Amino acid sequence: MEVKTSKFGQRMSELTGVRAIMKDIIETLKSAEGKSFLNFSAGNPVVIPQVDELWRKITTELVNSKDFSNVVGRYGASKGYEPFIEAVLKDYNNRFNLNLTEKNILVSPGSQMLYFVAANTFGGYTSEGEIRHLTLPITPEYTGYGGVSLHKECIKGFKPLIEIFEKDHEFKYRLDRDNLTIDKNTGCIFTSRPCNPTGNIMSLEEVNFLVEKASANSIPIFFDSAYAAPYPALNFTEMLPVFGGNVAHCVTLSKAGLPGERVGFVLADENIIKPLEAFQTNACLHSSRMGQAMATLAINSGELQEICLTAVKPFYMERMIAMQEAAKKFLPNTIPWFLHRGEGSIFAWIWLRDLPISDWDLYNKLKEHQVIVVPGSTFFPGIQDKSWKHQYECIRLSLTVDKPEIDQGIKIIGKVLSECYS
Amino acid sequence: MEVKTSKFGQRMSELTGVRAIMKDIIETLKSAEGKSFLNFSAGNPVVIPQVDELWRKITTELVNSKDFSNVVGRYGASKGYEPFIEAVLKDYNNRFNLNLTEKNILVSPGSQMLYFVAANTFGGYTSEGEIRHLTLPITPEYTGYGGVSLHKECIKGFKPLIEIFEKDHEFKYRLDRDNLTIDKNTGCIFTSRPCNPTGNIMSLEEVNFLVEKASANSIPIFFDSAYAAPYPALNFTEMLPVFGGNVAHCVTLSKAGLPGERVGFVLADENIIKPLEAFQTNACLHSSRMGQAMATLAINSGELQEICLTAVKPFYMERMIAMQEAAKKFLPNTIPWFLHRGEGSIFAWIWLRDLPISDWDLYNKLKEHQVIVVPGSTFFPGIQDKSWKHQYECIRLSLTVDKPEIDQGIKIIGKVLSECYS
């Protein structure tokens, strides 16, 4: 049988970003026939034993509490589970010296849903037919942004400046202020800090520049804080988050051990929260409450913040260091490879300057050598200039593999790169 | 600070249906100042002790199982949690003699999200700008449909025929085949069976008529089975569900004790599932997995089906009978009141023929007498003919209040109605 889909049905059926390659990776792994792959493609965080144990303990507590019946057996407020809201507000107000009230928060079923709702609440078209862009001021960016707007043409990505530390084989992305357009046709700004996937942490100066631009144009700026403190605290270097004014601070508990439960929230001005809350209510009533109730206990006891600092952050920092060491050891010094400064993320990001083949060709070549990486070009949503070569010169490596495998994998990547560049 | 929203931002900020009145109800209850209200407005199901106990037992089992780490600590497949999919397919294939495979199912974070995605995947506008209606063939209907389309003008509700059992003060809605339009401008059909809120169960003949119409126009027809067997089995009279072809059978576990956890799924042809799955993935990655994992255990053990038959169904059936008895006893025989045949629902639906005031005026009058009902006009999404008076002559009463309160409430309603009609 055949059915016809609407314009949005067609648009939203597109596989965007990393998902476009995941199918190939899954098929490769399925048809492996005894071959074992070094798989650096995973976006799924590692289940860290201490974190797993905490959530088991907390869930047992919840099941044995009076609240359980209410959490599971009742519909909830569209804004979120009240005790969770209270716990989050208390923690953030204390920690960052804020005065947030329940008017400043919305709980969402994971942050992807929040970005979908925000992209179409503030971006898209006005009633008069004027376009409002979803602006990504500094790419590469979170691949999921590529799929959230109902109007593909509304997503507008900007190229970064590249600061190169030639001798160290390191580099860092910088905001390109001069070539950034934020004006009356901008609907909202999305940016991840620390950046998923590169681990870049924008400086406070860059942040303030963006916030001022947003404010001058009366548009919200969403800081995707999926890797920021206090949960999961995956920033390896110091960073100060910003709040207030046009800033929407977006958090998810996915990297703090709850990806399966889909718990996210946004902290922002009431005028940003209100339309998001209404849209979300019409679209899905409210978020699942079990994850929220679990997080309530873990935040109120302080255990969630604690375990992020003592287990989650060290875990990925060690992996990042292992990656840096392996790169220095096994990637040929003669090749212009550059590792992005590991400022906080669950990925390493490598730029191969003047790579003679495309990132996809490199992906395929590495696959032949039983190493799976993710080609970087899937992380540049909304970039118009298809001739800009940097976007085809990067690869993403997951920090979820362990040290011996990192060494093994980087060694093979080094060999393949030698062939490519020779 | 001010921010501008897009066209869709404005549209999705509208409070539709019951939510338009909920604010007033909540404020009324808050400002009650010692007055106690008989509240018949609840849409939230009752926490039934046996059901609560089952979910506690099951959750304890889950927390102590190896699977817990994977369920909570990992992102999942966009289609849904694999063991849940297996459990549902096995149960439905056995029960209804079907051959459904994993290609025929999509798990969604509650069925509201499913309707939002479906309404905009199949309804809306084509790339050529042609309209595709979300058609509700027989209103009153689930109030939530009013908010799911990004294009308000796409929702098209149709009036029912009314079969009156004058002597019994009963009535039943029937499909008005002659005045129903399903054609090339129809994008999809939504209908709840048993009907939320009226408890009407469409006959198999009516169902087949709709399915044929849908099939002839290559459009999907979504049967909202939130009250159907096997979970929660809130059909008080026999009903046979339909599957296959253009039929999308939509289920939620909200009335089987898990409203807080947001677990829904749809069973349909692969060509209906595919675009829904892609849209949902772009919008929210996947559904929360804890509720799915809990339901897996309860479905595989047979306990979920069992408890629905032994605890959930009898609970609401008793309340429905109490409502019928109270109406016969306390509503004046001289007034043309009609209770909809209680074929399965958690609500009673009363039609007050030739009511001299509007349903909203009646709502306000009853409020003065400390009885809260929901005015029926909020359950006619997409009805164009605002002069059709039936839509202002109904009220919805929740079956979540207990027998003594039902008696008390109906007694007051009877008195107020006497005044209105005199």
Side-chain angles (χ1 to χ4, degrees):
Chain A
M1 58 138 296
E2 271 192 49
V3 286
K4 281 164 277 177
T5 54
S6 70
K7 189 180 162 192
F8 293 152
Q10 279 165 40
R11 155 66 183 145
M12 297 304 279
S13 289
E14 289 169 20
L15 283 181
T16 61
V18 165
R19 272 197 298 281
I21 202 180
M22 272 303 159
K23 212 177 151 234
D24 186 67
I25 293 177
I26 290 164
E27 277 163 20
T28 302
L29 293 172
K30 268 190 185 163
S31 64
E33 290 177 1
K35 275 190 254 174
S36 85
F37 281 87
L38 293 163
N39 186 0
F40 288 88
S41 75
N44 227 324
V46 169
V47 175
I48 300 170
Q50 301 97 304
V51 179
D52 183 41
E53 207 160 296
L54 170 65
W55 289 121
R56 277 182 200 263
K57 191 199 81 174
I58 290 279
T59 312
T60 306
E61 226 173 279
L62 177 65
V63 177
N64 296 321
S65 78
K66 216 181 55 188
D67 292 339
F68 180 83
S69 318
N70 179 37
V71 167
V72 167
R74 310 270 296 167
Y75 288 104
S78 45
K79 188 178 265 311
Y81 178 59
E82 296 82 353
F84 179 60
I85 286 175
E86 240 175 80
V88 166
L89 292 178
K90 195 175 150 204
D91 190 28
Y92 274 76
N93 282 339
N94 284 344
R95 187 179 297 273
F96 299 110
N97 199 21
L98 304 168
N99 292 300
L100 302 170
T101 74
E102 58 171 25
K103 290 183 177 170
N104 303 118
I105 185 170
L106 171 66
V107 180
S108 68
S111 52
Q112 182 79 15
M113 182 71 181
L114 183 69
Y115 300 130
F116 169 74
V117 170
N120 297 296
T121 296
F122 300 111
Y125 289 88
T126 65
S127 305
E128 294 75 35
E130 265 182 63
I131 197 165
R132 288 286 181 274
H133 290 113
L134 158 55
T135 291
L136 313 176
I138 173 170
T139 61
E141 254 302 358
Y142 169 50
T143 180
Y145 297 154
V148 293
S149 175
L150 290 158
H151 308 276
K152 192 179 183 176
E153 70 278 13
C154 287
I155 305 175
K156 206 168 170 181
F158 286 88
K159 299 177 200 172
L161 292 177
I162 298 176
E163 186 176 1
I164 303 175
F165 309 95
E166 192 81 35
K167 220 182 55 195
D168 296 333
H169 284 282
E170 266 191 17
F171 79 114
K172 181 174 163 66
Y173 291 117
R174 295 286 185 191
L175 186 69
D176 185 0
R177 303 176 196 203
D178 298 338
N179 292 303
L180 177 68
T181 313
I182 293 172
D183 60 16
K184 67 177 187 47
N185 286 116
T186 313
C188 55
I189 301 172
F190 283 13
T191 187
S192 56
R193 182 169 183 261
C195 174
N196 171 359
T198 65
N200 188 35
I201 296 182
M202 240 193 284
S203 73
L204 210 51
E205 220 194 329
E206 290 170 316
V207 166
N208 288 335
F209 175 84
L210 285 177
V211 172
E212 272 166 39
K213 280 275 186 188
S215 178
N217 288 280
S218 291
I219 56 168
I221 175 164
F222 290 81
F223 283 98
D224 179 344
S225 311
Y227 296 140
Y231 354 100
L234 277 173
N235 57 311
F236 304 150
T237 61
E238 281 293 305
M239 71 170 273
L240 210 65
V242 291
F243 298 93
N246 291 48
V247 169
H249 183 85
C250 308
V251 179
T252 160
L253 300 184
S254 292
K255 305 303 176 299
L258 288 188
E261 246 328 77
R262 321 300 306 120
V263 186
F265 59 86
V266 52
L267 303 171
D269 186 275
E270 187 181 349
N271 290 328
I272 296 173
I273 295 292
K274 265 197 286 189
L276 294 177
E277 184 176 333
F279 193 140
Q280 189 180 284
T281 307
N282 279 319
C284 71
L285 301 188
H286 64 78
S287 309
S288 294
R289 284 151 61 93
M290 191 103 93
Q292 294 182 68
M294 287 157 62
T296 306
L297 297 174
I299 290 172
N300 282 339
S301 71
E303 286 164 295
L304 185 57
Q305 302 88 315
E306 180 68 17
I307 207 149
C308 286
L309 291 178
T310 57
V312 182
K313 188 200 282 252
F315 180 92
Y316 288 103
M317 263 185 96
E318 274 170 34
R319 296 282 169 98
M320 189 66 212
I321 291 166
M323 189 65 82
Q324 288 163 340
E325 288 172 354
K328 295 238 154 127
K329 206 161 155 190
F330 301 117
L331 295 185
N333 202 25
T334 52
I335 287 174
W337 63 265
F338 300 92
L339 192 62
H340 194 283
R341 283 209 165 159
E343 299 175 326
S345 167
I346 67 168
F347 302 109
W349 180 261
I350 299 179
W351 170 36
L352 302 157
R353 193 173 59 197
D354 301 325
L355 181 68
I357 59 174
S358 77
D359 60 331
W360 279 80
D361 288 340
L362 178 59
Y363 158 75
N364 280 317
K365 248 190 209 308
L366 287 170
K367 228 169 59 177
E368 285 166 26
H369 291 79
Q370 277 137 271
V371 172
I372 297 181
V373 302
V374 177
S377 53
T378 52
F379 298 90
F380 292 87
I383 286 288
Q384 313 295 318
D385 180 3
K386 298 301 171 201
S387 71
W388 176 46
K389 66 180 190 167
H390 180 86
Q391 68 193 306
Y392 311 111
E393 295 180 341
C394 301
I395 53 173
R396 187 192 80 174
L397 300 180
S398 172
L399 297 176
T400 55
V401 296
D402 56 18
K403 192 170 159 34
E405 283 194 319
I406 288 177
D407 283 350
Q408 242 184 301
I410 296 292
K411 214 181 281 183
I412 295 170
I413 293 173
K415 271 188 205 152
V416 171
L417 286 179
S418 291
E419 285 169 33
C420 290
Y421 275 92
S422 74
Chain B
M1 58 137 295
E2 270 193 51
V3 285
K4 283 163 276 178
T5 54
S6 70
K7 189 180 163 194
F8 292 152
Q10 278 165 41
R11 155 65 182 145
M12 297 303 280
S13 289
E14 289 169 20
L15 283 180
T16 61
V18 164
R19 271 195 299 280
I21 202 179
M22 272 302 158
K23 210 177 152 231
D24 186 68
I25 293 177
I26 289 165
E27 277 165 17
T28 303
L29 293 173
K30 267 190 185 163
S31 65
E33 290 176 1
K35 275 191 253 174
S36 86
F37 281 88
L38 292 164
N39 186 0
F40 288 88
S41 74
N44 226 326
V46 169
V47 175
I48 300 170
Q50 302 97 302
V51 178
D52 183 41
E53 208 159 297
L54 170 64
W55 289 121
R56 276 182 200 263
K57 191 199 79 173
I58 289 278
T59 312
T60 306
E61 225 173 282
L62 177 64
V63 177
N64 296 320
S65 77
K66 215 180 57 189
D67 292 340
F68 179 82
S69 318
N70 180 36
V71 167
V72 167
R74 311 269 297 168
Y75 288 103
S78 46
K79 189 178 264 311
Y81 178 58
E82 296 81 353
F84 178 60
I85 286 177
E86 241 174 79
V88 166
L89 292 178
K90 195 175 150 203
D91 190 29
Y92 274 76
N93 282 339
N94 284 345
R95 187 179 298 274
F96 299 111
N97 198 22
L98 303 169
N99 293 300
L100 303 170
T101 73
E102 58 171 26
K103 291 183 177 170
N104 303 118
I105 185 169
L106 172 66
V107 179
S108 68
S111 52
Q112 182 78 15
M113 182 71 181
L114 183 69
Y115 299 131
F116 169 73
V117 170
N120 297 296
T121 296
F122 301 111
Y125 290 87
T126 65
S127 306
E128 294 75 37
E130 266 183 62
I131 197 165
R132 288 286 181 272
H133 290 112
L134 158 54
T135 292
L136 313 175
I138 173 169
T139 61
E141 252 304 356
Y142 169 50
T143 180
Y145 297 155
V148 293
S149 175
L150 291 159
H151 307 276
K152 192 178 182 176
E153 71 277 14
C154 287
I155 306 175
K156 206 169 171 182
F158 286 87
K159 300 176 199 170
L161 293 176
I162 298 176
E163 187 177 1
I164 304 174
F165 309 95
E166 193 80 36
K167 221 182 55 198
D168 296 332
H169 284 283
E170 266 190 17
F171 79 115
K172 180 174 164 66
Y173 291 117
R174 295 285 184 191
L175 187 69
D176 186 359
R177 304 177 196 202
D178 298 337
N179 293 304
L180 178 66
T181 312
I182 293 172
D183 60 17
K184 68 175 186 52
N185 287 115
T186 313
C188 54
I189 302 171
F190 283 11
T191 187
S192 56
R193 181 170 183 261
C195 174
N196 171 0
T198 67
N200 188 35
I201 296 182
M202 241 193 285
S203 73
L204 211 50
E205 221 193 327
E206 290 170 316
V207 166
N208 289 334
F209 175 84
L210 286 177
V211 172
E212 270 166 40
K213 281 275 188 190
S215 176
N217 288 280
S218 292
I219 56 168
I221 175 163
F222 290 82
F223 284 98
D224 180 343
S225 311
Y227 296 139
Y231 356 98
L234 277 173
N235 57 312
F236 305 150
T237 61
E238 280 294 305
M239 71 170 273
L240 210 63
V242 291
F243 297 93
N246 291 49
V247 169
H249 184 85
C250 308
V251 179
T252 160
L253 300 184
S254 292
K255 305 305 174 299
L258 289 188
E261 244 331 74
R262 321 301 306 121
V263 186
F265 59 87
V266 52
L267 303 170
D269 186 276
E270 186 182 349
N271 289 328
I272 297 173
I273 295 292
K274 265 197 287 190
L276 295 177
E277 184 176 333
F279 193 140
Q280 189 181 283
T281 307
N282 279 319
C284 71
L285 301 189
H286 64 78
S287 309
S288 294
R289 284 151 60 94
M290 191 101 95
Q292 294 182 68
M294 287 157 61
T296 305
L297 297 173
I299 290 172
N300 283 339
S301 71
E303 286 164 295
L304 185 57
Q305 302 87 316
E306 180 68 18
I307 208 148
C308 286
L309 291 177
T310 58
V312 183
K313 186 199 283 250
F315 181 92
Y316 288 103
M317 263 185 95
E318 273 170 33
R319 296 281 169 97
M320 189 66 213
I321 290 165
M323 188 66 82
Q324 288 162 340
E325 288 173 354
K328 294 237 154 129
K329 206 160 154 189
F330 301 118
L331 296 184
N333 201 25
T334 51
I335 287 174
W337 63 266
F338 300 92
L339 192 61
H340 195 283
R341 282 208 167 161
E343 298 173 326
S345 167
I346 68 168
F347 304 109
W349 180 260
I350 299 179
W351 170 36
L352 302 157
R353 192 173 59 198
D354 301 325
L355 181 68
I357 58 174
S358 76
D359 58 333
W360 278 80
D361 289 341
L362 179 58
Y363 158 77
N364 280 316
K365 248 189 208 310
L366 288 170
K367 228 169 58 176
E368 285 166 25
H369 292 78
Q370 279 138 269
V371 173
I372 297 181
V373 301
V374 177
S377 53
T378 52
F379 299 90
F380 293 87
I383 285 288
Q384 313 295 319
D385 179 3
K386 298 299 172 203
S387 71
W388 177 46
K389 67 179 191 169
H390 180 86
Q391 68 193 307
Y392 311 111
E393 295 179 343
C394 302
I395 53 173
R396 188 192 80 173
L397 300 179
S398 172
L399 297 176
T400 55
V401 297
D402 57 18
K403 193 171 158 33
E405 285 194 318
I406 289 176
D407 283 350
Q408 243 183 303
I410 296 291
K411 214 180 279 182
I412 296 170
I413 293 173
K415 272 186 204 155
V416 171
L417 285 179
S418 292
E419 286 169 32
C420 290
Y421 276 93
S422 74

